[in-house]
Amino acid sequence: MQLINKLLRIPSKNYDIVFVISPCYDYQLPPLGLAYLTSYMKKCGYKIKMFDFNIEFYHTLAQNEKEIYEYEHHKLWANPKLFQRIKKRHTSEIKQYTKRIMDANCNLICFSINAGTREFSFELAKEIKSTSKNKIIIFGGPGVSSDLEIKGALQSNLVDFCMVGEGEKTLEEFVFNYKNGLRLSIPGVLGKDNKQPFIKRKSVKDLGKFGYPTYKEFDLNKYSNIKLPISFNRGCVRKCVFCDSAVTAGTLRLRSPEIILEEIKYHVFNNKRRLFYVTDLSMNSSLIQLEKICDLLIESNIKIEWTGNCVIRKDMSEKLIEKMAKAGCRAILMGIETGSNRLLKEMKKMFEIEDAERILKTCKENGINTYVNLFVGFPGETDEDINHTIKFLEKNKENITEIQNIGLCFVLHSTKLYQNGEKYRLKNFNSMYEWEDEIGTYLNDRMKRLEKLNKEVKKLGIKVSTLTKVIDV
């Protein structure tokens, strides 16, 4: 802890903390998580600076270069070897962004990390540390959730601390302790010099303490989508084995419907936005809360439109879907994944394909557009399973507005699929895309199935937004 004690004696000159989001995050919607953090820290009285290099970088790209922000090019950003292509072409931006961070004269620099922003953030951290070793680099976000991700960050000698889990209370306590010379080994934080065991911070039950994000630190006009992200809840009611959110999101906690209405009114009158995207893993996690939100929106007579993610639920009634439409819901996205009930059970999706068919039909009848996600290659998948998916699409094509994504099953380290690899018959694991299952299916086999499914979807005339492509290293 000698290095940290030394750093504690160096006061920041202008800001209490600097936030950074690097490329590549998203060019359509601003980051809701960072918006919460910046608004909350300002509410707590701290002076903060936000650098949204992600959206700045996007707008420096020529029109024919912007495609690298699309989902199918994700591996360019997430794979360290492939990222070198981007680094070589954009060294000047990295230098420029580093200078702006240094000019902020702040010792605490917090990066928001996910798979897409990690490598660019490492490059900025490297430049910052080469200029001043006294700067404290913090990584937080979904990209530092697993033990492997945290270990990789802290052993890089570029990152001083990782903040794991929900950020508001952890960051508030960390900055307070830093400013007052107190210990930085607190629940939710792992330091590279810290020999103490990690203590997980308990989730805050009352989400009302965090208020809501104002987005004052973001240039909303630079984002291509005029929708604004909002949240109804945190956590997840499902435990899908392939999903890292099932591990990192924590237990379900609900926001007050009254505060949600207050937030919507704020954005309508201050940010001039009437279109909203509910970013929750499932906005129908609580049917009681969702119905109350709909009731308040209808009673307020405020004219907005909203979309969001929903899980397939056996107990989601036609009456509630009708009320959602009346309250302004215009579209829902559902992770159906496969038409095979056998695989749905293996994935622990907690529904059967007949439940999805009912909800698709009811949404269509009430004017709610439906977007679905599918993927190919879950361990043990057979050609028969793919045929079940094709039959499902044939039967329900009139009730599906668009397939949002047809992807490959990739195995993240923080998921139950990876952690229980033997149970799910994984072997010869090389990367999240490159592994073998018990029937000898490897990446090339899964790509062939993906191609087959895509061809069938084209025959059916269903629009597809994104088709995953795997880039060879």
Side-chain angles (χ1 to χ4, degrees):
M1 296 297 289
Q2 290 182 350
L3 172 62
I4 303 305
N5 290 333
K6 181 180 178 182
L7 293 172
L8 283 170
R9 294 194 292 270
I10 305 172
S12 294
K13 297 179 181 179
N14 292 333
Y15 297 101
D16 294 309
I17 188 166
V18 164
F19 292 95
V20 179
I21 184 164
S22 305
C24 160
Y25 170 71
D26 188 10
Y27 65 90
Q28 298 185 44
L29 298 170
L32 179 63
L34 264 185
Y36 260 105
L37 280 175
T38 52
S39 293
Y40 179 72
M41 291 300 285
K42 289 176 72 174
K43 177 183 174 183
C44 292
Y46 293 109
K47 189 174 182 183
I48 66 105
K49 176 67 177 176
M50 176 72 222
F51 287 114
D52 189 355
F53 293 143
N54 165 67
I55 199 62
E56 288 188 32
F57 184 85
Y58 177 77
H59 285 289
T60 66
L61 298 172
Q63 195 60 40
N64 62 349
E65 293 180 306
K66 292 186 187 304
E67 66 175 12
I68 64 174
Y69 264 63
E70 300 299 338
Y71 179 81
E72 58 263 37
H73 295 292
H74 171 268
K75 201 172 181 182
L76 276 173
W77 299 92
N79 184 293
K81 291 181 181 178
L82 294 175
F83 176 75
Q84 295 306 309
R85 303 178 192 176
I86 294 175
K87 177 186 172 182
K88 288 177 182 178
R89 296 188 65 178
H90 297 284
T91 303
S92 62
E93 284 90 346
I94 293 172
K95 297 286 187 184
Q96 176 199 342
Y97 296 160
T98 302
K99 183 179 185 304
R100 289 169 60 188
I101 293 172
M102 298 302 294
D103 287 346
N105 289 321
C106 182
N107 295 326
L108 296 181
I109 304 166
C110 184
F111 287 85
S112 177
I113 304 297
N114 60 33
T117 67
R118 171 183 288 267
E119 294 304 318
F120 204 107
S121 298
F122 270 132
E123 290 301 322
L124 289 177
K126 186 186 300 181
E127 292 291 326
I128 291 168
K129 286 292 190 180
S130 68
T131 304
S132 174
K133 295 185 184 298
N134 292 325
K135 300 296 183 184
I136 296 182
I137 304 293
I138 304 164
F139 273 19
V144 283
S145 300
S146 71
D147 291 341
L148 191 65
E149 291 164 338
I150 295 166
K151 184 178 179 180
L154 295 177
Q155 290 185 352
S156 69
N157 291 321
L158 300 172
V159 179
D160 298 294
F161 295 95
C162 285
M163 291 194 177
V164 184
E166 199 166 71
E168 286 92 344
K169 294 301 293 184
T170 301
L171 194 59
E172 177 194 2
E173 183 179 350
F174 186 91
V175 174
F176 177 86
N177 286 7
Y178 175 81
K179 287 172 66 70
N180 291 279
L182 303 175
R183 61 179 299 182
L184 301 181
S185 300
I186 60 174
V189 173
L190 271 169
K192 67 178 182 180
D193 294 337
N194 185 18
K195 306 301 181 184
Q196 301 297 319
F198 173 71
I199 301 174
K200 184 178 179 180
R201 182 175 291 272
K202 294 181 180 179
S203 299
V204 174
K205 293 183 180 180
D206 182 10
L207 297 179
K209 293 179 179 178
F210 299 149
Y212 52 79
T214 63
Y215 292 101
K216 287 183 178 179
E217 306 302 318
F218 299 87
D219 186 346
L220 298 180
N221 293 322
K222 287 186 176 180
Y223 286 88
S224 65
N225 199 320
I226 59 174
K227 293 178 184 175
L228 207 56
I230 60 171
S231 174
F232 290 176
N233 61 63
R234 292 187 185 182
C236 191
V237 289
R238 298 286 167 88
K239 301 297 179 185
C240 305
V241 300
F242 58 84
C243 181
D244 59 342
S245 296
V247 179
T248 61
T251 55
L252 178 67
R253 289 152 298 142
L254 307 175
R255 297 182 67 212
S256 158
E258 289 77 15
I259 291 178
I260 292 169
L261 180 63
E262 179 186 326
E263 177 184 2
I264 288 171
K265 288 180 177 179
Y266 174 89
H267 294 314
V268 167
F269 296 112
N270 292 278
N271 289 320
K272 311 303 179 187
R273 299 298 172 98
R274 290 181 178 270
L275 302 179
F276 298 92
Y277 173 57
V278 185
T279 63
D280 306 331
L281 295 169
S282 54
M283 63 183 180
N284 63 336
S285 289
S286 166
L287 300 182
I288 294 174
Q289 181 216 33
L290 179 57
E291 184 164 16
K292 179 63 174 178
I293 291 169
C294 291
D295 287 337
L296 290 175
L297 287 170
I298 294 168
E299 290 168 9
S300 72
N301 202 33
I302 190 166
K303 303 302 180 184
I304 65 164
E305 295 183 0
W306 46 284
T307 63
N309 306 309
C310 281
V311 292
I312 305 296
R313 296 186 57 149
K314 294 178 181 291
D315 56 347
M316 190 166 179
S317 69
E318 287 79 1
K319 181 180 177 182
L320 176 55
I321 294 173
E322 181 181 349
K323 186 174 287 189
M324 289 168 64
K326 188 176 180 181
C329 181
R330 295 295 174 260
I332 61 174
L333 170 64
M334 294 170 281
I336 295 176
E337 325 307 359
T338 177
S340 165
N341 277 330
R342 182 185 74 86
L343 287 185
L344 288 172
K345 187 176 181 179
E346 285 273 305
M347 296 173 184
K348 298 194 183 303
K349 291 292 292 183
M350 296 176 63
F351 68 86
E352 295 178 338
I353 201 64
E354 293 75 17
D355 302 312
E357 292 175 346
R358 177 182 64 83
I359 289 178
L360 286 169
K361 181 175 181 292
T362 306
C363 285
K364 173 80 171 183
E365 292 170 346
N366 285 279
I368 297 176
N369 290 325
T370 54
Y371 298 80
V372 302
N373 282 335
L374 302 171
F375 69 72
V376 168
F378 190 81
E381 179 187 72
T382 65
D383 288 336
E384 184 179 358
D385 294 312
I386 293 295
N387 290 335
H388 280 304
T389 300
I390 293 169
K391 289 177 182 178
F392 161 75
L393 294 172
E394 288 174 345
K395 182 179 178 181
N396 297 279
K397 63 180 182 179
E398 299 301 324
N399 296 330
I400 298 173
T401 305
E402 181 177 314
I403 299 175
Q404 185 78 6
N405 179 54
I406 303 178
L408 282 172
C409 178
F410 54 87
V411 182
L412 298 173
H413 289 94
S414 55
T415 63
K416 295 295 184 183
L417 190 55
Y418 177 82
Q419 294 168 2
N420 299 319
E422 289 187 9
K423 176 181 177 181
Y424 292 100
R425 306 166 296 278
L426 289 178
K427 53 186 179 179
N428 299 326
F429 185 91
N430 294 317
S431 73
M432 63 182 184
Y433 288 106
E434 299 163 306
W435 43 268
E436 189 177 356
D437 66 14
E438 67 168 349
I439 57 176
T441 302
Y442 200 63
L443 178 58
N444 290 339
D445 304 294
R446 294 190 287 276
M447 286 299 295
K448 288 178 182 177
R449 287 199 184 124
L450 180 64
E451 185 178 358
K452 174 185 176 180
L453 181 58
N454 188 47
K455 285 181 179 178
E456 294 297 327
V457 168
K458 284 183 178 179
K459 288 180 185 178
L460 293 171
I462 304 174
K463 184 180 178 182
V464 179
S465 177
T466 304
L467 174 68
T468 296
K469 301 174 184 177
V470 174
I471 304 167
D472 293 328
V473 180

